[in-house]
Amino acid sequence: MSAGITPFPYEGPEDLREPIVQALRRVVDPEVAMSIVDVGLIYGVTVSAERAHVCITMTSAACPVADLIIDEAEAELDKVIPPGLLIQVELVWEPPWTPERMSEQGKRLMGW
């Protein structure tokens, strides 16, 4: 992935963009066995001087693994976010997730 191209909205220091993308790619949605980035669960990342804020959604409000995915996202981000920066992973429901949010690779893996 070339610099400046991110599969979700990103605001923050350029040197953190790729490490954050790669950290979130390591988090797998166990229900579909795909990266949460490819499933389209990441709505955006904003990194400020105080915190790294990630807006994430689930494919449905009844998702039984939401806490697991959030915990894993926080753990992976903790490996790449500079010490002292608060990591905040926020679960959001608007706009609702749709299959159109999936990456082309994700759609191919699902046979769509």
Side-chain angles (χ1 to χ4, degrees):
M1 186 169 291
S2 54
I5 300 174
T6 309
F8 45 79
Y10 174 84
E11 228 180 280
E14 199 53 44
D15 63 327
L16 288 178
R17 179 188 300 263
E18 190 61 20
I20 288 172
V21 171
Q22 292 309 315
L24 292 171
R25 282 193 184 284
R26 290 190 295 268
V27 180
V28 173
D29 180 335
E31 290 192 301
V32 292
M34 273 193 294
S35 155
I36 61 173
V37 173
D38 286 327
V39 179
L41 300 183
I42 307 297
Y43 279 6
V45 175
T46 305
V47 181
S48 67
E50 298 84 32
R51 69 182 181 150
H53 181 233
V54 179
C55 288
I56 188 173
T57 195
M58 298 294 138
T59 55
S60 93
C63 180
V65 293
D67 289 341
L68 174 70
I69 290 172
I70 290 168
D71 289 347
E72 286 188 22
E74 289 173 346
E76 289 298 331
L77 289 166
D78 194 43
K79 296 175 184 175
V80 300
I81 297 296
L85 220 55
L86 175 69
I87 297 170
Q88 180 184 19
V89 178
E90 179 183 4
L91 183 59
V92 298
W93 299 107
E94 291 297 324
W97 180 87
T98 64
E100 288 77 34
R101 294 196 49 82
M102 294 178 76
S103 70
E104 288 307 312
Q105 177 182 353
K107 289 176 185 174
R108 278 194 307 276
L109 288 170
M110 295 295 288
W112 295 349

